[in-house]
DNA sequence: CCTTGACCTAAAGTGTACTTCAGAAACTAG
DNA sequence: CTAGTTTCTGAAGTACACTTTAGGTCAAGG
């Protein structure tokens, strides 16, 4: 294993080794490559070889996913990492700053919505129209392909009975 | 339209009318029925007829989805609504209480993770193992079908270089 | 009565994030 | 060198939350 490690370090990590180090499935790493999140080279036999810095790239991907960011968004932000040189701590800190800001505003939006929930659920406005919970904020659930037209139509002609 | 409305009220809402009132697509309402979130009856011609209280049911579904709850979870919680009588404001308040609690703890977890982000991203632990961001909390991203084995394996034999 | 629009069902398609499978080539240990 | 493990590719499968399509029925206005 020790000798093994030494070999790996010389010629890049195999996909299996990277999977071990990150806890990801091998298939997930291949998928992330297809999504442009890592860019391994190939050895003589056509097998993928990764740099040690890819451990960190993939770790970052995992963290960002935990926070609910989509692969598209993660790819977008990671494209700001340096291309030529190996990213250093400052590079990582910089892009995580960006996530942090987005995260902050999402947490805040969620809190505002939560606060409105109390006032809204019991009231008639839940039957729609002008309810603050509808016309408001970015939803926690921003991705997706629903109708997304979310109101704007005519006003209720009758009082909000307790239906 | 006024006369139309009067007719609708006598014999229940058509799926199109319900779609108009909620902003949902007709297809979405059919889907929600198949998922057990609404239970329309059928008229003589086999068409769905909804109660006025279904406007509120679906509105609740939409709000819960905005907060990121899955259909399965929403169905689970809505099963606590009264079966026999039309749910009233107190009923709705009670089940939204439950969501509120879940929401609170999810917001709190997100905040704790966010706070750890600052300390974690720049450091070597991002390369895995004992990092607080990994072994911790319920992920915002709890559903899903990934590898989910997320660490627990051997310790790094070398210091966390700035890769 | 007839046309038009709303509605019906079942099946297939969409996007996200992956996994699983099949068959073949590469690599590693003994 | 051989056996066993890894890795390779492309295609298909999975889960969630719906939408779209196709082909047919129902209902309301002129």
């Amino acid at each position: 294993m020790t000798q093994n490690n030494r070999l790996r370090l010389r010629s890049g990590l195999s996909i299996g080794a990277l999977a071990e180090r990150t806890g990801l499935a091998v298939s997930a790493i291949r998928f992330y490559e297809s999504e442009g999140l890592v860019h391994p080279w190939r050895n003589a036999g056509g097998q993928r070889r990764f740099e040690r810095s890819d451990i960190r790239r993939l770790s970052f991907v995992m963290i960002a996913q935990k926070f609910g960011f989509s692969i598209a968004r993660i790819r977008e932000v990671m494209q700001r990492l340096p291309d030529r040189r190996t990213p250093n701590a400052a590079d990582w800190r910089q892009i995580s700053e960006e996530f942090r800001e987005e995260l902050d505003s999402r947490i805040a939006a969620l809190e505002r919505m939560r606060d409105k929930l109390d006032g809204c659920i019991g009231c008639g406005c839940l039957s729609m129209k002008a309810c603050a919970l509808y016309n408001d904020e970015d939803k926690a659930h921003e991705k997706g392909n629903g109708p997304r037209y979310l109101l704007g139509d005519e006003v209720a002609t009758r009082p909000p009975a307790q239906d």
Side-chain angles (χ1 to χ4, degrees), chain A:
Chain A
M1 179 69 178
T2 312
Q3 191 180 3
N4 226 326
N5 256 338
R6 232 168 321 173
L7 280 170
R8 271 188 200 140
L9 290 173
R10 250 206 284 281
S11 48
L13 292 159
S14 72
I15 195 168
L18 186 56
E20 249 180 58
R21 304 295 289 263
T22 58
L24 287 166
V26 166
S27 62
I29 298 176
R30 289 203 193 100
F31 173 70
Y32 289 149
E33 182 193 359
S34 79
E35 288 290 308
L37 299 181
V38 276
H39 307 284
W41 70 91
R42 302 304 179 105
N43 72 0
Q47 296 193 350
R48 290 171 182 81
R49 293 301 169 223
F50 295 84
E51 297 183 20
R52 271 175 55 76
S53 64
D54 289 328
I55 298 173
R56 185 173 278 256
R57 285 183 82 91
L58 291 182
S59 302
F60 184 81
V61 169
M62 293 169 82
I63 291 179
Q65 294 224 106
K66 273 195 180 184
F67 282 120
F69 292 96
S70 70
I71 284 188
R73 185 79 187 94
I74 296 169
R75 175 176 45 224
E76 203 181 300
V77 170
M78 292 219 316
Q79 263 155 13
R80 279 170 229 157
L81 285 174
D83 235 31
R84 295 266 151 230
R85 84 189 142 74
T86 296
N88 60 27
D91 295 319
W92 285 113
R93 207 145 28 219
Q94 204 203 321
I95 74 169
S96 62
E97 274 298 305
E98 203 171 312
F99 271 154
R100 202 199 133 94
E101 272 163 42
E102 242 174 274
L103 206 52
D104 276 342
S105 72
R106 278 176 18 181
I107 289 173
L110 216 52
E111 280 170 340
R112 281 193 299 276
M113 284 172 67
R114 176 200 56 192
D115 294 342
K116 276 172 201 147
L117 183 64
D118 295 338
C120 261
I121 282 289
C123 83
C125 77
L126 212 165
S127 311
M128 307 300 279
K129 335 292 157 194
C131 176
L133 276 170
Y134 286 103
N135 306 317
D136 226 59
E137 311 287 4
D138 52 342
K139 26 244 140 156
H141 160 252
E142 69 249 308
K143 57 174 182 183
N145 47 347
R148 310 263 141 266
Y149 97 67
L150 289 195
L151 279 306
D153 43 351
E154 95 291 40
V155 180
T157 48
R158 41 181 57 243
Q162 33 60 293
D163 49 23

